[in-house]
Amino acid sequence: MIFIKISKTREAASSKSKHGGNTYLTCLPKLNELTLRLLNKNMNIRNIAIIAHVDHGKTTLVDKILHTTKVFRDNQDTGDLIMDSNDLEKERGITIFSKNASVTYKDVKINVIDTPGHSDFGGEVERVLKMADSVVLLVDAFEGPMPQTRFVLQKALQLNLKPIVVINKVDKPNCRPDEVHDAVFELFFNLDATEEQLNFPTFYGSGKNGWFNDSLTPTDNILALMDGIIKYVPEPKVEIGTLQMQITSLDYSSFLGRIAIGKIARGTIKENQPISLMQADGVIKKQRVKELYVFEGMGKRKVTEVLAGDLCAVVGIEGFNIGDTIADFEAPEALPVIHVDEPTMSMIFSINNSPFFGRDGKFVTSRHLRDRLMKETEKNLALRVEDTDSADSFQVFGRGILHLGVLIETMRREGYELTVGQPQVLVKHIDGKKSEPYETLVVDVPEEFASKAIDLVSRRKGEMTVMETKGDMQHIEFEIPSRGLIGLRTTMLTSTAGEAVMAHRFTEYKPWKGPIPGRNNGVLLAKEGGNTTAYSLDKLQDRGFFFIDPGEEVYKGMVIGENNKPGDLVVNPNEGKKLTNMRSSGTDGAASIAPKKSMTLEECMEYIQGDECIEVTPNFIRMRKVILDENERLRLAKQMKSEAV
Ligand SMILES: Nc1nc2c(ncn2[C@@H]2O[C@H](COP(=O)(O)OP(=O)(O)OP(=O)(O)O)[C@@H](O)[C@H]2O)c(=O)[nH]1
Ligand SMILES: [Mg+2]
């Protein structure tokens, strides 16, 4: 019952100070040391999360903090670090998983949590905020507050954190830092910020150019902001008592397994310490800590104990979930449960059953697919996987196109082949009414495209709520069913000459809005399998455009292009002189064929309709009809029509 002993120590310590002596503490050297370390050490820690809308510059800022504090050189000396970096993040230039880094500045340890800005990963931000004692809210000096700025700020304010505002990217031409500052103030106000929160400190600068200052005067470093972090971020609030650490995120290592990450709210945690894992359902599991890590630089450093107030990673705990509390072995006390965001979208994942099955991938059976998906649910919290009536298909629930897309992309890189169907939003029945997810959509477009943008969104059942001028752009906000957003991005970019900037964010479930038109145009489908010829493609060019190149192998029922008109068209792309080698492509009209339109996985996910699916293999992404045979497709369509009548 360490809790009682330490509480007594605290009482004694305070009564001691009244009496002026130090005798009690010296009588109990162990507790004395512990208490003092708890009280003093924490003075030197700051836990801060960097939050913002997507692309407003969070990761760039973290980079600058790491450079300023010379983490890279220090790292080379210590060595014992587990670096976490993800290929997909590097490729796409976006943050997918929140990450911890830790630096020392003016003898203060600053734990920095970089968070993802994309709304699909918003639930993750919400959870990791539990580790922070304050946030840096970054806002782009041109764009101003965007939907995800509002979401993350709201979460921070609800946790009673006092944000530091950073107006970033003031190097951008046409930026409007003062207006943006006012808009941020208004946002705080609208989100019911307290007087204290409204009194936020503001810094201006450019992460890219490596400076931040408390005014718009440029400097050549970020030290003003670093000093601001030390000044404005409160020290972690630490209660004295037995161990309490809530698991707020997790890491995964193929060597160490699942690693629990969180802030020690109370007590200390030690290597090999027996603990109680307290789960949301009230179950308490007695386990033992194997290894402990604290964050250092961009990685982790192995330690033997971690004190309250610091963030740590615990290895050796089995079967934990986010929100569980790691508590004292004998007298465990749980922290309030954290809820994880519910999925809003689902997709069917099946084995690859195209004629090209097994040509490209290593893992192709339903067993492989099921095991991989189940394994993913251990670390990907917003993901849910359910079996279906068919042993070859699984229903996978996630937070949006990007969330599911990242999983599929990761799997194909690991050597999996699979087929995925059209993403569907999750319908709920609320008070007996069929309801669907709605989102706030923000579109910034040059004035001349504004009416086109409004028209496009209205056709998909979006309703305009705000329209205002922002620089030379029109800033338009809508409320739209999530269904209406699927496929909107591509159409919006095409109709605005690529000028529109779109962002959206889930708000709430509301009554079903009725039918929403799908893709306007039909597709061009291959009539037979074989290698396409430049000769045929050239002839078919006036029908539409292609997703394939001359010479590429296709199969019957594969989507090879988009029809200029509504309705699907089955065409023969393999006619005439077959291509046997590269040289022949120049001789039969290839030069006059427009280059194919390359589609990313997410573009395909937004493009396909209900009777289509995507074949994903390590090297290819192909769109196809679910039913490859034209006659069978027509027969089924007829049958469904007659059943519907
Ligand atoms: N002009 C300008 N560009 C910047 C600045 N800071 C970051 N950028 C650019 O903005 C883009 C996004 O930066 P990131 O740091 O990846 O943004 P992020 O907020 O981490 O993005 P997510 O993690 O995807 O939400 C990159 O192309 C950066 O180079 C800045 O101060 N000025
Ligand atoms: Mg980032």
Side-chain angles (χ1 to χ4, degrees):
M1 300 294 276
I2 301 168
F3 175 62
I4 298 166
K5 282 187 204 153
I6 294 182
S7 306
K8 276 189 188 151
T9 312
R10 183 161 60 164
E11 274 164 35
S14 53
S15 67
K16 162 225 70 170
S17 56
K18 273 182 219 143
H19 301 113
N22 206 5
T23 40
Y24 188 92
L25 289 176
T26 37
C27 299
L28 280 169
K30 263 200 149 167
L31 289 177
N32 167 18
E33 182 205 329
L34 182 62
T35 315
L36 285 181
R37 271 162 59 209
L38 280 173
L39 295 175
N40 291 338
K41 253 278 173 77
N42 294 316
M43 300 299 171
N44 289 329
I45 293 183
R46 301 289 186 278
N47 298 314
I48 188 145
I50 318 287
I51 57 173
H53 184 74
V54 67
D55 263 4
H56 281 195
K58 297 172 288 295
T59 308
T60 309
L61 170 62
V62 176
D63 276 1
K64 295 294 167 195
I65 294 179
L66 290 167
H67 273 111
T68 298
T69 49
K70 306 232 170 18
V71 156
F72 297 111
R73 205 173 54 210
D74 290 347
N75 264 4
Q76 285 157 8
D77 300 333
T78 51
D80 198 7
L81 301 170
I82 308 165
M83 298 287 286
D84 49 7
S85 61
N86 177 288
D87 282 351
L88 280 180
E89 290 182 328
K90 280 193 211 143
E91 235 169 66
R92 294 167 185 236
I94 59 164
T95 304
I96 296 171
F97 310 104
S98 65
K99 283 184 214 69
N100 292 72
S102 183
V103 301
T104 305
Y105 175 71
K106 294 193 173 166
D107 287 334
V108 180
K109 174 176 184 176
I110 306 175
N111 286 311
V112 185
I113 309 162
D114 184 18
T115 64
H118 195 283
S119 60
D120 278 19
F121 310 116
E124 172 134 353
V125 182
E126 197 176 339
R127 281 196 318 273
V128 299
L129 282 181
K130 292 259 182 177
M131 288 191 272
D133 298 301
S134 178
V135 292
V136 166
L137 176 74
L138 280 187
V139 187
D140 181 307
F142 172 73
E143 286 190 353
M146 294 293 274
Q148 191 67 1
T149 316
R150 186 186 175 92
F151 174 80
V152 290
L153 176 61
Q154 185 175 28
K155 296 297 168 190
L157 295 178
Q158 282 166 356
L159 288 168
N160 290 322
L161 302 179
K162 274 186 62 193
I164 296 173
V165 171
V166 173
I167 313 274
N168 192 23
K169 305 199 184 184
V170 300
D171 58 288
K172 269 188 170 178
N174 303 328
C175 68
R176 358 163 250 134
D178 290 328
E179 267 175 58
V180 168
H181 178 266
D182 292 349
V184 172
F185 184 86
E186 208 178 304
L187 183 64
F188 269 71
F189 189 79
N190 291 338
L191 292 172
D192 293 329
T194 61
E195 195 84 10
E196 239 189 323
Q197 289 169 327
L198 273 174
N199 221 347
F200 55 82
T202 309
F203 292 84
Y204 298 86
S206 161
K208 195 163 141 189
N209 295 348
W211 70 271
F212 287 104
N213 200 357
D214 55 7
S215 68
L216 273 164
T217 316
T219 62
D220 59 4
N221 59 55
I222 65 162
L223 298 183
L225 178 61
M226 296 301 289
D227 291 333
I229 290 176
I230 292 183
K231 182 171 167 196
Y232 297 112
V233 180
E235 298 139 17
K237 276 189 226 82
V238 173
E239 284 179 47
I240 295 182
T242 53
L243 169 66
Q244 272 187 331
M245 168 186 146
Q246 187 154 44
I247 304 173
T248 39
S249 68
L250 61 80
D251 203 347
Y252 191 82
S253 138
S254 40
F255 304 110
L256 303 170
R258 296 169 83 215
I259 304 170
I261 296 173
K263 177 161 83 173
I264 311 285
R266 218 171 67 178
T268 50
I269 189 164
K270 290 196 164 81
E271 204 176 51
N272 292 322
Q273 178 180 341
I275 54 100
S276 303
L277 176 71
M278 306 186 70
Q279 306 210 285
D281 52 9
V283 174
I284 300 178
K285 293 182 186 159
K286 301 289 182 188
Q287 299 200 13
R288 189 180 284 275
V289 172
K290 262 197 208 132
E291 292 177 6
L292 284 175
Y293 292 82
V294 288
F295 295 98
E296 191 170 277
M298 288 170 69
K300 302 187 189 83
R301 181 165 58 91
K302 194 162 180 293
V303 290
T304 51
E305 71 172 346
V306 185
L307 307 180
D310 206 350
L311 310 185
C312 83
V314 185
V315 172
I317 311 292
E318 275 161 29
F320 68 83
N321 290 310
I322 295 295
D324 293 354
T325 305
I326 295 179
D328 186 59
F329 184 75
E330 284 174 11
E333 286 176 71
L335 287 162
V337 172
I338 313 178
H339 86 106
V340 176
D341 273 2
E342 284 290 305
T344 51
M345 188 170 270
S346 83
M347 273 171 89
I348 298 285
F349 283 43
S350 314
I351 56 161
N352 182 10
N353 59 2
S354 93
F356 294 170
F357 160 83
R359 281 196 188 180
D360 197 25
K362 271 193 290 189
F363 308 112
V364 295
T365 65
S366 57
R367 180 65 185 274
H368 285 139
L369 186 60
R370 185 170 198 283
D371 289 353
R372 178 64 183 81
L373 289 174
M374 292 303 171
K375 195 167 144 233
E376 184 70 18
T377 56
E378 284 183 14
K379 55 175 178 168
N380 196 336
L381 299 155
L383 197 81
R384 226 171 56 211
V385 178
E386 285 177 10
D387 288 309
T388 64
D389 296 343
S390 151
D392 292 339
S393 300
F394 308 92
Q395 192 163 15
V396 181
F397 300 83
R399 295 284 304 163
I401 297 269
L402 185 63
H403 181 217
L404 292 169
V406 163
L407 168 64
I408 301 168
E409 197 58 63
T410 310
M411 287 174 67
R412 78 185 264 247
R413 276 150 206 251
E414 292 169 358
Y416 285 83
E417 279 191 12
L418 64 155
T419 307
V420 294
Q422 190 192 26
Q424 304 285 342
V425 302
L426 276 190
V427 174
K428 282 188 187 173
H429 286 271
I430 301 172
D431 299 330
K433 266 197 195 136
K434 185 178 177 186
S435 306
E436 62 176 325
Y438 275 64
E439 312 209 13
T440 305
L441 165 71
V442 172
V443 185
D444 287 325
V445 276
E447 172 114 49
E448 70 257 40
F449 296 118
S451 61
K452 262 194 186 157
I454 296 168
D455 179 48
L456 261 182
V457 181
S458 312
R459 267 193 269 151
R460 289 160 174 264
K461 299 269 160 70
E463 281 173 25
M464 190 166 77
T465 51
V466 175
M467 182 164 177
E468 58 196 23
T469 310
K470 197 155 102 181
D472 20 350
M473 302 281 263
Q474 286 296 313
H475 171 88
I476 318 168
E477 292 184 19
F478 301 90
E479 188 183 60
I480 180 170
S482 305
R483 266 183 311 146
L485 287 169
I486 301 178
L488 178 65
R489 184 174 301 273
T490 330
T491 340
M492 180 69 80
L493 287 176
T494 328
S495 3
T496 59
E499 295 271 3
V501 179
M502 265 175 63
H504 55 93
R505 152 103 230 148
F506 168 73
T507 45
E508 58 182 330
Y509 268 85
K510 290 195 0 182
W512 180 259
K513 195 101 192 214
I516 290 179
R519 192 176 63 209
N520 261 344
N521 294 5
V523 286
L524 303 177
L525 296 163
K527 189 170 180 195
E528 293 299 337
N531 285 70
T532 58
T533 59
Y535 168 75
S536 314
L537 295 190
D538 189 29
K539 274 205 311 191
L540 291 168
Q541 279 204 90
D542 53 352
R543 297 291 193 176
F545 61 85
F546 300 108
F547 300 129
I548 45 134
D549 275 329
E552 229 173 272
E553 194 178 355
V554 298
Y555 51 80
K556 176 159 85 174
M558 182 172 144
V559 175
I560 59 160
E562 181 174 301
N563 191 357
N564 281 335
K565 296 184 191 144
D568 299 338
L569 200 64
V570 177
V571 296
N572 184 356
N574 315 329
E575 248 184 284
K577 189 179 151 222
K578 296 266 190 301
L579 280 185
T580 48
N581 58 39
M582 289 303 288
R583 222 175 301 144
S584 56
S585 66
T587 58
D588 52 4
S592 60
I593 299 176
K596 73 170 174 186
K597 182 169 173 7
S598 293
M599 300 269 276
T600 63
L601 174 67
E602 275 112 50
E603 280 166 345
C604 292
M605 286 163 71
E606 298 211 3
Y607 186 81
I608 57 168
Q609 301 297 298
D611 64 340
E612 292 158 0
C613 56
I614 312 168
E615 175 189 357
V616 184
T617 73
N619 293 299
F620 298 94
I621 295 174
R622 303 185 182 98
M623 291 183 284
R624 49 166 278 197
K625 287 286 170 187
V626 175
I627 299 169
L628 297 176
D629 185 76
E630 190 187 1
N631 294 330
E632 204 180 322
R633 225 171 25 242
L634 290 175
R635 194 173 51 75
L636 203 81
K638 223 184 243 169
Q639 190 183 330
M640 280 173 63
K641 220 176 186 177
S642 63
E643 274 170 15
V645 172

